[in-house]
Amino acid sequence: MFALKLSTGSFRTMAVAQGEELCRSYRETSGSNTVVLRFDHLYGEPKKERQEENPCFQMMLEALKTGKISANSRNVFSLLYMSDAVEFTYQIIKAENLLHATYNIASGESITQMELARQIQKYAGTGMELVDNTVGEGYRRVLSTERYKCEFPHKVFVPSEEGVKRTVKYMKKHSRRFLENDKKHCTFAHPVSGKPVLLWSVFYAE
């Protein structure tokens, strides 16, 4: 079973698409039960110091570094807490027969970047300034869960605000570690645009 993450960068999008096609081709030619899982904006208490594709992590890291949280109210996405992703994936793993070769592992619940910023500000405590960077057309990246729901139970056990609360409190508690580690890196994804400032890694599953 191959697990792939969708990305917003053009090169990564092309690489992911090619990887998915390779998996589908292997499934057809070998007859194996190979599936592609698309994980949509996974987040949670960050056990490692850098999570470029985790918008909650990026915005909270910005808050710890600068005391400010930047957000574009036109940017819309969904968040999926790690434990929910594990449960959804387990349903697929234990299934005897799968109807499709590709499934989206997502909450299906949208949130604007500004809403996320307000939640982070709420649980980060006093002294965090919210900066409205609403410009341009923005984007919407919310994967559909309809296919998954037709085959498996789909219940989100950790709502976005609860997950954000856990993440923020964890990062505040270990703020020194995150700030010290950030100084060692010269690349990061911009918290508002989501685009890489310098270089991304082209790894799809951890």
Side-chain angles (χ1 to χ4, degrees):
M1 179 179 292
F2 292 83
L4 303 182
K5 293 180 181 178
L6 292 184
S7 172
T8 60
S10 59
F11 176 76
R12 296 195 63 180
T13 300
M14 178 181 66
V16 168
Q18 291 177 344
E20 290 188 357
E21 183 58 36
L22 179 63
C23 290
R24 282 190 287 267
S25 177
Y26 180 78
R27 175 189 175 99
E28 293 172 0
T29 57
S30 68
S32 63
N33 196 23
T34 303
V35 297
V36 172
L37 304 182
R38 296 169 173 168
F39 292 91
D40 191 8
H41 292 94
L42 292 182
Y43 77 113
E45 297 177 4
K47 303 304 181 183
K48 65 176 186 177
E49 286 73 12
R50 299 202 57 81
Q51 295 188 357
E52 280 80 359
E53 296 182 359
N54 179 340
C56 184
F57 171 87
Q58 287 295 334
M59 295 170 74
M60 183 56 189
L61 182 61
E62 178 195 16
L64 291 174
K65 290 166 56 179
T66 68
K68 299 179 180 180
I69 311 171
S70 304
N72 185 331
S73 62
R74 297 174 186 169
N75 294 342
V76 182
F77 43 84
S78 65
L79 294 172
L80 182 64
Y81 201 73
M82 189 65 69
S83 59
D84 284 322
V86 171
E87 174 61 25
F88 295 161
T89 303
Y90 176 69
Q91 296 296 332
I92 292 179
I93 292 174
K94 73 177 185 178
E96 294 184 3
N97 296 298
L98 298 173
L99 300 181
H100 303 282
T102 303
Y103 294 90
N104 294 335
I105 306 299
S107 68
E109 300 174 355
S110 62
I111 183 173
T112 69
Q113 196 171 55
M114 185 61 70
E115 290 171 338
L116 175 58
R118 291 195 180 101
Q119 290 179 8
I120 294 174
Q121 183 186 44
K122 176 181 177 180
Y123 295 111
T126 58
M128 296 297 179
E129 178 185 353
L130 189 61
V131 180
D132 189 347
N133 280 344
T134 302
V135 294
E137 297 181 358
Y139 59 78
R140 179 181 177 83
R141 301 191 184 109
V142 181
L143 295 185
S144 172
T145 58
E146 292 307 310
R147 175 180 292 180
Y148 187 95
K149 289 179 178 179
C150 288
E151 293 184 58
F152 308 103
H154 184 277
K155 177 178 174 57
V156 174
F157 291 96
V158 183
S160 62
E161 184 162 355
E162 174 61 25
V164 170
K165 177 182 177 180
R166 295 181 189 180
T167 303
V168 169
K169 289 186 175 298
Y170 182 87
M171 291 187 67
K172 280 192 67 178
K173 182 178 180 180
H174 302 280
S175 59
R176 177 179 295 182
R177 173 163 61 90
F178 289 109
L179 291 173
E180 289 179 351
N181 185 269
D182 187 68
K183 294 177 182 179
K184 301 175 184 178
H185 294 78
C186 62
T187 65
F188 59 95
H190 193 277
V192 174
S193 68
K195 296 181 178 179
V197 175
L198 291 177
L199 297 174
W200 301 73
S201 169
V202 190
F203 296 115
Y204 311 121
E206 300 173 346

